[in-house]
Amino acid sequence: MQNVKQFFINIERTDIDESMTNLVSEDFIDSIDIMALVAEIEKYYKKPLKAEFITPENFESFENIQKMLELAMKD
């Protein structure tokens, strides 16, 4: 989860923390934030995040992001 927190810090969204949920559906983050997070994720893992993983549901909470990363980056 610390990596997820760092991704938010890197995109200058220190107002978002791990206790928050419904990040997308309640407009805490928008598509621009998601794309910035994707860029940070790709930079960190040094590989692209497949489009199938870039869904609003996967960015609703720190837990969802962590689960998505575990699936997306397991290879």
Side-chain angles (χ1 to χ4, degrees):
M1 267 330 169
Q2 188 57 40
N3 285 347
V4 177
K5 177 72 172 168
Q6 191 60 50
F7 297 146
F8 278 97
I9 292 169
N10 291 353
I11 68 164
E12 299 180 2
R13 289 302 310 267
T14 54
D15 56 318
I16 307 293
D17 68 52
E18 51 274 342
S19 68
M20 299 171 79
T21 58
N22 303 319
L23 296 177
V24 178
S25 57
E26 292 185 14
D27 294 327
F28 291 114
I29 64 173
D30 60 17
S31 59
I32 303 297
D33 294 319
I34 291 173
M35 295 318 296
L37 286 168
V38 168
E40 286 299 317
I41 289 165
E42 291 178 340
K43 189 164 65 174
Y44 178 82
Y45 287 100
K46 296 179 175 53
K47 65 188 256 188
L49 182 62
K50 292 180 181 168
E52 66 194 75
F53 292 105
I54 306 171
T55 65
E57 298 79 24
N58 283 340
F59 289 88
E60 283 286 12
S61 67
F62 276 49
E63 187 177 340
N64 286 19
I65 295 169
Q66 188 64 46
K67 285 179 184 175
M68 178 263 300
L69 290 174
E70 288 167 9
L71 281 174
M73 300 301 173
K74 68 180 177 189
D75 320 337

